[in-house]
Short mmCIF file of all heavy atoms in Angstrom, two decimals:
data_model
loop_
_atom_site.label_atom_id
_atom_site.label_comp_id
_atom_site.label_asym_id
_atom_site.label_seq_id
_atom_site.Cartn_x
_atom_site.Cartn_y
_atom_site.Cartn_z
N SER A 1 0.80 -1.20 0.01
CA SER A 1 0.03 0.00 0.00
C SER A 1 0.88 1.29 0.00
O SER A 1 0.31 2.37 0.12
CB SER A 1 -0.87 0.03 1.25
OG SER A 1 -0.12 -0.05 2.45
N ALA A 2 2.12 1.10 -0.15
CA ALA A 2 3.06 2.28 -0.02
C ALA A 2 3.00 3.18 -1.21
O ALA A 2 3.03 2.76 -2.37
CB ALA A 2 4.51 1.77 0.15
N VAL A 3 2.86 4.50 -0.90
CA VAL A 3 2.98 5.56 -1.88
C VAL A 3 3.78 6.64 -1.24
O VAL A 3 3.50 7.03 -0.08
CB VAL A 3 1.50 6.10 -2.24
CG1 VAL A 3 1.63 7.25 -3.20
CG2 VAL A 3 0.69 4.98 -2.85
N PRO A 4 4.73 7.20 -1.94
CA PRO A 4 5.59 8.24 -1.32
C PRO A 4 4.79 9.48 -0.90
O PRO A 4 3.86 9.83 -1.54
CB PRO A 4 6.61 8.56 -2.44
CG PRO A 4 6.56 7.41 -3.35
CD PRO A 4 5.16 6.86 -3.29
N PRO A 5 5.22 10.14 0.16
CA PRO A 5 4.61 11.43 0.52
C PRO A 5 4.89 12.48 -0.51
O PRO A 5 5.74 12.31 -1.33
CB PRO A 5 5.27 11.76 1.87
CG PRO A 5 6.56 10.96 1.85
CD PRO A 5 6.34 9.73 1.08
N SER A 6 4.13 13.59 -0.39
CA SER A 6 4.15 14.58 -1.45
C SER A 6 5.54 15.20 -1.67
O SER A 6 5.86 15.64 -2.78
CB SER A 6 3.14 15.67 -1.18
OG SER A 6 3.49 16.31 0.12
N ASN A 7 6.37 15.25 -0.63
CA ASN A 7 7.68 15.86 -0.75
C ASN A 7 8.65 15.04 -1.49
O ASN A 7 9.82 15.42 -1.74
CB ASN A 7 8.25 16.29 0.61
CG ASN A 7 8.35 15.20 1.60
OD1 ASN A 7 7.52 14.29 1.63
ND2 ASN A 7 9.38 15.17 2.39
N TYR A 8 8.28 13.78 -1.93
CA TYR A 8 9.06 12.96 -2.71
C TYR A 8 8.54 12.88 -4.17
O TYR A 8 9.05 12.09 -4.98
CB TYR A 8 9.14 11.54 -2.16
CG TYR A 8 10.11 11.46 -1.01
CD1 TYR A 8 9.68 11.77 0.29
CD2 TYR A 8 11.47 11.06 -1.16
CE1 TYR A 8 10.52 11.72 1.37
CE2 TYR A 8 12.31 10.99 -0.08
CZ TYR A 8 11.86 11.30 1.18
OH TYR A 8 12.74 11.25 2.27
N LEU A 9 7.51 13.66 -4.46
CA LEU A 9 6.87 13.65 -5.76
C LEU A 9 7.33 14.88 -6.56
O LEU A 9 7.42 15.99 -6.06
CB LEU A 9 5.38 13.63 -5.65
CG LEU A 9 4.74 12.49 -4.85
CD1 LEU A 9 3.24 12.64 -4.77
CD2 LEU A 9 5.13 11.15 -5.45
N TYR A 10 7.54 14.64 -7.89
CA TYR A 10 8.05 15.67 -8.75
C TYR A 10 7.28 15.71 -10.06
O TYR A 10 6.67 14.67 -10.46
CB TYR A 10 9.54 15.45 -9.09
CG TYR A 10 10.44 15.67 -7.90
CD1 TYR A 10 10.61 14.67 -6.95
CD2 TYR A 10 11.06 16.88 -7.66
CE1 TYR A 10 11.39 14.83 -5.82
CE2 TYR A 10 11.87 17.07 -6.59
CZ TYR A 10 12.04 16.03 -5.66
OH TYR A 10 12.82 16.23 -4.55
N SER A 11 7.31 16.88 -10.72
CA SER A 11 6.80 17.04 -12.04
C SER A 11 7.92 16.88 -13.05
O SER A 11 9.05 17.39 -12.81
CB SER A 11 6.15 18.40 -12.22
OG SER A 11 4.99 18.53 -11.41
N ILE A 12 7.65 16.21 -14.14
CA ILE A 12 8.67 16.10 -15.19
C ILE A 12 7.96 16.48 -16.50
O ILE A 12 6.94 15.90 -16.88
CB ILE A 12 9.27 14.66 -15.32
CG1 ILE A 12 9.90 14.29 -14.02
CG2 ILE A 12 10.28 14.59 -16.49
CD1 ILE A 12 10.45 12.80 -13.98
N PRO A 13 8.46 17.52 -17.21
CA PRO A 13 9.75 18.23 -17.02
C PRO A 13 9.76 19.17 -15.78
O PRO A 13 8.76 19.28 -15.11
CB PRO A 13 9.92 19.00 -18.31
CG PRO A 13 8.54 19.25 -18.81
CD PRO A 13 7.78 18.01 -18.40
N THR A 14 10.89 19.80 -15.63
CA THR A 14 11.16 20.80 -14.56
C THR A 14 11.25 20.18 -13.19
O THR A 14 10.88 20.84 -12.23
CB THR A 14 10.18 21.98 -14.63
OG1 THR A 14 8.91 21.52 -14.24
CG2 THR A 14 10.15 22.62 -15.98
N TYR A 15 11.76 18.99 -13.02
CA TYR A 15 11.92 18.44 -11.67
C TYR A 15 13.11 19.04 -10.95
O TYR A 15 13.24 18.85 -9.73
CB TYR A 15 12.03 16.91 -11.69
CG TYR A 15 13.29 16.32 -12.20
CD1 TYR A 15 14.41 16.25 -11.36
CD2 TYR A 15 13.37 15.81 -13.43
CE1 TYR A 15 15.58 15.67 -11.82
CE2 TYR A 15 14.55 15.21 -13.92
CZ TYR A 15 15.65 15.20 -13.06
OH TYR A 15 16.82 14.61 -13.52
N ALA A 16 13.98 19.75 -11.69
CA ALA A 16 15.15 20.43 -11.08
C ALA A 16 15.43 21.63 -11.97
O ALA A 16 15.18 21.60 -13.23
CB ALA A 16 16.36 19.52 -11.01
N PRO A 17 15.95 22.74 -11.42
CA PRO A 17 16.25 23.92 -12.24
C PRO A 17 17.45 23.80 -13.11
O PRO A 17 18.44 23.07 -12.76
CB PRO A 17 16.46 24.99 -11.18
CG PRO A 17 16.96 24.26 -9.97
CD PRO A 17 16.23 22.95 -9.96
N GLN A 18 17.44 24.40 -14.23
CA GLN A 18 18.56 24.35 -15.15
C GLN A 18 19.83 24.95 -14.61
O GLN A 18 20.95 24.53 -14.93
CB GLN A 18 18.19 25.03 -16.48
CG GLN A 18 19.20 24.91 -17.58
CD GLN A 18 19.15 23.54 -18.25
OE1 GLN A 18 18.17 22.86 -18.22
NE2 GLN A 18 20.26 23.17 -18.94
N ASN A 19 19.66 25.97 -13.73
CA ASN A 19 20.83 26.73 -13.23
C ASN A 19 21.25 26.25 -11.85
O ASN A 19 21.80 27.05 -11.10
CB ASN A 19 20.53 28.18 -13.28
CG ASN A 19 19.40 28.56 -12.33
OD1 ASN A 19 18.66 27.73 -11.87
ND2 ASN A 19 19.26 29.87 -12.09
N ASP A 20 21.02 25.01 -11.49
CA ASP A 20 21.52 24.52 -10.18
C ASP A 20 22.99 24.79 -10.10
O ASP A 20 23.73 24.57 -11.05
CB ASP A 20 21.27 23.06 -10.04
CG ASP A 20 19.89 22.71 -9.48
OD1 ASP A 20 19.13 23.64 -9.23
OD2 ASP A 20 19.65 21.55 -9.29
N PRO A 21 23.53 25.33 -8.98
CA PRO A 21 24.91 25.72 -8.86
C PRO A 21 25.83 24.50 -8.97
O PRO A 21 25.68 23.53 -8.27
CB PRO A 21 25.00 26.39 -7.52
CG PRO A 21 23.83 25.83 -6.74
CD PRO A 21 22.75 25.57 -7.72
N GLY A 22 26.84 24.64 -9.81
CA GLY A 22 27.78 23.59 -9.95
C GLY A 22 28.87 23.59 -8.89
O GLY A 22 29.72 22.66 -8.83
N ILE A 23 28.84 24.58 -7.99
CA ILE A 23 29.87 24.68 -6.93
C ILE A 23 29.44 23.79 -5.75
O ILE A 23 30.24 23.03 -5.26
CB ILE A 23 30.03 26.12 -6.47
CG1 ILE A 23 30.56 26.94 -7.64
CG2 ILE A 23 30.95 26.21 -5.24
CD1 ILE A 23 30.67 28.42 -7.31
N THR A 24 28.21 23.91 -5.35
CA THR A 24 27.77 23.13 -4.17
C THR A 24 27.49 21.69 -4.48
O THR A 24 27.55 20.84 -3.61
CB THR A 24 26.50 23.74 -3.54
OG1 THR A 24 25.43 23.64 -4.56
CG2 THR A 24 26.69 25.20 -3.22
N LEU A 25 27.20 21.45 -5.80
CA LEU A 25 26.86 20.06 -6.25
C LEU A 25 25.66 19.54 -5.50
O LEU A 25 25.45 18.35 -5.34
CB LEU A 25 28.05 19.11 -6.02
CG LEU A 25 29.31 19.49 -6.78
CD1 LEU A 25 30.34 18.43 -6.58
CD2 LEU A 25 29.03 19.64 -8.22
N THR A 26 24.82 20.45 -5.04
CA THR A 26 23.53 20.02 -4.37
C THR A 26 22.47 20.02 -5.44
O THR A 26 22.12 21.02 -6.02
CB THR A 26 23.20 21.02 -3.26
OG1 THR A 26 24.28 21.01 -2.34
CG2 THR A 26 21.93 20.56 -2.59
N ARG A 27 21.90 18.82 -5.65
CA ARG A 27 20.88 18.63 -6.70
C ARG A 27 21.40 19.18 -8.01
O ARG A 27 20.69 19.89 -8.74
CB ARG A 27 19.55 19.29 -6.32
CG ARG A 27 18.98 18.76 -4.99
CD ARG A 27 18.49 17.35 -5.17
NE ARG A 27 17.95 16.84 -3.93
CZ ARG A 27 18.59 16.16 -3.07
NH1 ARG A 27 19.84 15.87 -3.24
NH2 ARG A 27 17.99 15.71 -1.98
N ASP A 28 22.62 18.83 -8.30
CA ASP A 28 23.33 19.50 -9.37
C ASP A 28 22.97 18.96 -10.74
O ASP A 28 22.83 17.78 -10.94
CB ASP A 28 24.86 19.43 -9.22
CG ASP A 28 25.59 20.14 -10.35
OD1 ASP A 28 25.39 21.34 -10.45
OD2 ASP A 28 26.26 19.44 -11.11
N ILE A 29 22.83 19.84 -11.71
CA ILE A 29 22.74 19.44 -13.08
C ILE A 29 23.96 20.04 -13.89
O ILE A 29 24.70 19.30 -14.48
CB ILE A 29 21.47 19.89 -13.77
CG1 ILE A 29 20.26 19.16 -13.17
CG2 ILE A 29 21.49 19.72 -15.28
CD1 ILE A 29 18.93 19.60 -13.72
N LYS A 30 24.17 21.35 -13.77
CA LYS A 30 25.28 21.96 -14.50
C LYS A 30 26.59 21.78 -13.71
O LYS A 30 26.65 22.20 -12.55
CB LYS A 30 25.00 23.41 -14.77
CG LYS A 30 23.70 23.67 -15.56
CD LYS A 30 23.60 25.09 -15.97
CE LYS A 30 24.41 25.38 -17.18
NZ LYS A 30 24.16 26.76 -17.74
N ILE A 31 27.57 21.17 -14.28
CA ILE A 31 28.77 20.86 -13.58
C ILE A 31 29.92 20.67 -14.56
O ILE A 31 29.69 20.06 -15.62
CB ILE A 31 28.61 19.59 -12.66
CG1 ILE A 31 29.88 19.26 -11.94
CG2 ILE A 31 28.16 18.41 -13.49
CD1 ILE A 31 29.72 18.10 -10.98
N ASP A 32 31.10 21.12 -14.19
CA ASP A 32 32.29 20.88 -14.95
C ASP A 32 33.15 19.81 -14.27
O ASP A 32 33.74 20.11 -13.24
CB ASP A 32 33.09 22.18 -15.14
CG ASP A 32 34.29 22.05 -16.02
OD1 ASP A 32 34.71 20.87 -16.28
OD2 ASP A 32 34.81 23.04 -16.49
N ILE A 33 33.11 18.61 -14.75
CA ILE A 33 33.81 17.52 -14.08
C ILE A 33 35.30 17.61 -14.15
O ILE A 33 36.01 16.96 -13.44
CB ILE A 33 33.36 16.17 -14.64
CG1 ILE A 33 33.75 16.03 -16.08
CG2 ILE A 33 31.84 15.96 -14.44
CD1 ILE A 33 33.58 14.63 -16.64
N TYR A 34 35.80 18.49 -15.02
CA TYR A 34 37.22 18.58 -15.29
C TYR A 34 37.88 19.60 -14.37
O TYR A 34 39.01 19.42 -13.99
CB TYR A 34 37.51 18.90 -16.78
CG TYR A 34 36.80 17.94 -17.68
CD1 TYR A 34 35.61 18.29 -18.35
CD2 TYR A 34 37.29 16.65 -17.88
CE1 TYR A 34 34.94 17.38 -19.12
CE2 TYR A 34 36.65 15.74 -18.71
CZ TYR A 34 35.46 16.09 -19.34
OH TYR A 34 34.79 15.24 -20.16
N SER A 35 37.15 20.69 -14.08
CA SER A 35 37.80 21.73 -13.28
C SER A 35 37.30 21.73 -11.86
O SER A 35 37.94 22.26 -10.94
CB SER A 35 37.51 23.10 -13.86
OG SER A 35 36.15 23.37 -13.91
N SER A 36 36.15 21.13 -11.56
CA SER A 36 35.62 21.15 -10.25
C SER A 36 36.48 20.36 -9.23
O SER A 36 37.03 19.30 -9.59
CB SER A 36 34.22 20.55 -10.18
OG SER A 36 33.75 20.44 -8.85
N GLN A 37 36.62 20.87 -8.03
CA GLN A 37 37.38 20.19 -6.99
C GLN A 37 36.47 19.37 -6.03
O GLN A 37 36.95 18.84 -5.04
CB GLN A 37 38.18 21.18 -6.12
CG GLN A 37 39.23 22.00 -6.96
CD GLN A 37 40.19 21.12 -7.66
OE1 GLN A 37 40.85 20.23 -6.99
NE2 GLN A 37 40.38 21.27 -8.95
N ALA A 38 35.20 19.34 -6.37
CA ALA A 38 34.32 18.64 -5.51
C ALA A 38 34.57 17.14 -5.41
O ALA A 38 35.11 16.55 -6.37
CB ALA A 38 32.85 18.83 -6.03
N THR A 39 34.31 16.56 -4.27
CA THR A 39 34.52 15.13 -4.07
C THR A 39 33.22 14.31 -3.90
O THR A 39 33.31 13.14 -3.67
CB THR A 39 35.45 14.88 -2.88
OG1 THR A 39 34.85 15.48 -1.71
CG2 THR A 39 36.83 15.53 -3.13
N THR A 40 32.10 15.04 -3.95
CA THR A 40 30.82 14.33 -3.83
C THR A 40 29.91 14.92 -4.91
O THR A 40 30.11 15.98 -5.45
CB THR A 40 30.21 14.54 -2.45
OG1 THR A 40 29.94 15.97 -2.26
CG2 THR A 40 31.06 13.99 -1.36
N TYR A 41 28.83 14.21 -5.17
CA TYR A 41 27.84 14.60 -6.16
C TYR A 41 26.50 14.01 -5.80
O TYR A 41 26.44 12.84 -5.41
CB TYR A 41 28.25 14.09 -7.51
CG TYR A 41 27.20 14.45 -8.61
CD1 TYR A 41 27.26 15.62 -9.34
CD2 TYR A 41 26.19 13.57 -8.87
CE1 TYR A 41 26.33 15.93 -10.29
CE2 TYR A 41 25.20 13.80 -9.83
CZ TYR A 41 25.30 15.03 -10.52
OH TYR A 41 24.35 15.30 -11.51
#
């Protein structure tokens, strides 16, 4: 009978913004894997 709560539901398209910051890598879409020093994604 499990159905996820509303905060786990998304609309597609636009489930994430195009300009998500590539620095924080939080819910990231835009990212430069060659120059970034991030160690998580």
Side-chain angles (χ1 to χ4, degrees):
S1 59
V3 178
S6 61
N7 57 322
Y8 283 85
L9 302 179
Y10 291 82
S11 297
I12 300 177
T14 67
Y15 74 80
Q18 186 77 21
N19 63 346
D20 272 2
I23 297 175
T24 63
L25 301 183
T26 301
R27 302 290 181 265
D28 180 64
I29 290 177
K30 302 188 79 173
I31 180 176
D32 185 342
I33 64 168
Y34 307 101
S35 64
S36 174
Q37 300 301 307
T39 58
T40 61
Y41 176 91

